Amino acid sequence: MCGIIGVTGESDALPLLLGALHQLEYRGYDSAGVALVIDEKLWRARAADGTRSVAELAILSADAPAGHSAAIGHTRWATHGHPTPENAHPHVDCTGRLAIIHNGIIENHALLRAELLAEGHVMTSVTDTEVMAHLIEGHMAAGLNLTEATRAMLRAVRGAFSIAVIHADEPDTIVAARRLTPLVLGLDDGRAFLASDIPALLGHTRQLFALRDDELAVLTPGSIVVTTLEGEGVVPEPLHISWDLEAAQKGGYDDFMSKEMHEQPQAVANTLLDRRGPGGELVLDEMRLTAEELRHIDKVCIVACGSSYHSALVAKYAIEHWVKLPTEVDIASEFRYRDPVLTERTLCVGVSQSGETLDTSEAMREAARLGAKVLVVSNVVDSSMARAADGVLYTRAGPEIGVASTKCHMAQIVALEILGLTLAQYQGTLAPTEIAAVLSEMERLPGLVEQALQRVSEVDDVAGKLVDARDFFFLGRHVGFPMALEGALKLKELAYLRAEGYPAGELKHGPIALIEPGTVVVGIATRNRLQEKLLSNIAEVHSRGATVVLVADDGDEAAAAVADHVLWVPPTDPMLSPVVGVVPLQQLAYRLARLHGHDVDRPRNLAKTVTVE
């Protein structure tokens, strides 16, 4: 997630920008930059030095002239293009007098870029953001002012955005707008502010306002005017803030994990954005494999660890169902020690949130040595795994601070299912209309996840009744089995309780011996073709005294009849159900951990990125 800050009416804006960017560092970033209007000229500095970028930017800015007008700053979490100074924000137009910063993804940037290049514009980055700068430039050349040119540009772009634009011709003005990604406005003593998040503005003002979707704001010293994209005036929504800085960094939540769980709808939406090329075909982020090579893949092998491994198991069901390709899933730490059988027609997919997980990285290295095509699913642009791969699919979940993965796990499932549909496209196993139908259902997922998150009180009630339990079994069939594994892992990671995940049909082959009164069995009973068998397995443990908790689709009376407690979720296509069904499992583990007094952001003995084997 990128960090955005802007101010006008401040006589010495640069220290304010740098301080605000420092407050936004908790969001994670790989480059940073500032742009200021000084004496009706644009001054810009950018740095790409990983998590030292803000410090490097301060050094680069030491010689900036005094006497600033409008000013904007940015920390970038890379999506389009590697983290280099050329791709860092702010981006400028051909005149060098306009600068723009952006959080989000522009879906139709490739088509717009081609049109702009044909018109003679010169691009200096590979980002989607730079396209917007040149679109505004074109409208201003046609006679529009900065505000109306920005409004016209926004009518041409599709996707998610929070933007801030300045121009040397209008030195005291910042034009801002948003869709889907947050933007906060502020006023104080002749100044006007904007930021992607509240921490950047604390200490400068508490008179804050939220900009809503498809609204445009014009900031001048001490003034904010807000309109819709159609130009109709609106009153901005005031925000009442009583948080301190630490709480503000967590968005008002008690901890980063709960904040990140509530960011999951946006993580899913961002991962789905910009997946169609100019001809309507599905595309990955960085692909160095040809269409011919993808058409001739005859086996898929996925390697991962922890929650990423559970995402990969979901993908196995999807790829075999949609693409009819044999798909193996390996725990990365075991993969290269089992003499895997790979050929040049094998696609080996490494799944790693950080792109630095040593087990998975070494597995990818071994797959490449054996001649396989290598693709990486990662949340970090330009990670070591991404650089070494033949192709990359980014999850775009933004940085995840909590050690136990939530939004990244969910985004990985979505990304891997996008990969499955992409393979189905190249191999011709699904018709374009069938792919479009699945994508349409996937586009419903952010709303369904939001609905599931809003039912937290139901999970809290169940957790309160289970607080004394010590033994948990999670059971699922088909795609419910990886969900069961993930639910058990979350409970172990966070609440330090004994929890095991099993395919429900395996219960009678040994584990049922451990079922007794006081044991809790959590069943994944969302509807699929094996639901009846799952409910029969649940009846077996219920008759032996287990307390049964089921995750079930709304209104499923057959599931409710065999459960002591039901965690209801909105229904979706069975192949997509893990994206929605994992929400109450995360919340159950979270609530039990809190009831036991544990730190959910920093579970004992665990690390966020595992770089040892």
Side-chain angles (χ1 to χ4, degrees), residues 191-395:
R191 298 179 297 176
F193 304 88
L194 61 84
S196 54
D197 210 350
I198 290 169
L201 300 184
L202 288 182
H204 302 295
T205 180
R206 286 188 174 268
Q207 189 180 357
L208 301 175
F209 307 89
L211 196 65
R212 291 169 289 222
D213 278 351
D214 292 319
E215 291 182 344
L216 180 145
V218 178
L219 286 69
T220 53
S223 171
I224 296 174
V225 177
V226 179
T227 60
T228 67
L229 291 189
E230 291 71 37
E232 181 181 350
V234 295
V235 178
E237 176 187 355
L239 296 174
H240 303 286
I241 305 301
S242 58
W243 309 333
D244 60 15
L245 181 58
E246 181 180 4
Q249 290 178 332
K250 296 172 182 175
Y253 294 99
D254 292 335
D255 41 66
F256 282 108
M257 183 178 174
S258 54
K259 176 177 182 284
E260 288 158 3
M261 285 192 290
H262 281 83
E263 290 174 341
Q264 290 180 126
Q266 188 65 58
V268 172
N270 285 347
T271 301
L272 288 169
L273 282 172
D274 197 25
R275 295 305 179 193
R276 286 196 176 274
E281 74 282 2
L282 282 167
V283 293
L284 306 183
D285 292 285
E286 297 176 12
M287 180 51 69
R288 293 174 281 279
L289 297 174
T290 67
E292 191 70 13
E293 287 173 317
L294 291 172
R295 274 194 289 272
H296 286 87
I297 295 297
D298 62 9
K299 183 174 80 170
V300 177
C301 180
I302 312 177
V303 293
C305 311
S307 292
S308 298
Y309 172 72
H310 303 154
S311 304
L313 288 173
V314 174
K316 172 182 171 68
Y317 288 95
I319 293 171
E320 291 184 341
H321 178 66
W322 291 330
V323 198
K324 313 304 180 188
L325 284 179
T327 303
E328 301 172 357
V329 180
D330 274 86
I331 292 174
S333 57
E334 291 294 317
F335 173 76
R336 66 194 180 106
Y337 302 111
R338 70 165 178 86
D339 296 322
V341 180
L342 310 177
T343 73
E344 70 279 359
R345 296 179 67 179
T346 302
L347 179 65
C348 192
V349 183
V351 187
S352 166
Q353 175 188 331
S354 65
E356 306 293 342
T357 308
L358 187 63
D359 294 327
T360 311
S361 177
E362 289 300 310
M364 292 291 91
R365 191 188 304 273
E366 177 68 4
R369 187 186 71 80
L370 294 172
K373 307 295 189 294
V374 174
L375 187 143
V376 165
V377 174
S378 173
N379 198 47
V380 179
V381 173
D382 206 33
S383 63
S384 60
M385 287 175 60
R387 289 194 300 270
D390 297 311
V392 188
L393 183 54
Y394 292 118
T395 50

Side-chain angles (χ1 to χ4, degrees), residues 134-170:
H134 292 276
L135 286 172
I136 298 172
E137 175 193 355
H139 289 299
M140 293 189 74
L144 297 182
N145 63 22
L146 179 61
T147 300
E148 294 309 316
T150 302
R151 197 188 308 277
M153 176 274 291
L154 293 172
R155 295 191 187 105
V157 300
R158 298 195 310 271
F161 53 78
S162 295
I163 63 166
V165 191
I166 59 176
H167 197 290
D169 290 353
E170 301 183 32

Side-chain angles (χ1 to χ4, degrees), residues 411-427:
Q412 284 171 347
I413 297 174
V414 173
L416 286 165
E417 293 196 328
I418 288 289
L419 172 62
L421 291 175
T422 303
L423 289 172
Q425 168 186 275
Y426 282 106
Q427 305 237 339

Side-chain angles (χ1 to χ4, degrees), residues 18 37 49 69 93 136 226 229 250-251 255 261 280 304 312 339 348 397 448 486 489 524 535 543 564 572 585 602 606:
L18 294 173
V37 179
D49 190 20
S69 299
D93 66 348
I136 298 172
V226 179
L229 291 189
K250 296 172 182 175
D255 41 66
M261 285 192 290
D339 296 322
C348 192
L448 299 179
E486 178 64 12
L489 177 62
I524 314 304
L535 294 180
S543 67
D564 297 295
T572 186
L585 300 179
R602 300 176 183 83
L606 299 179

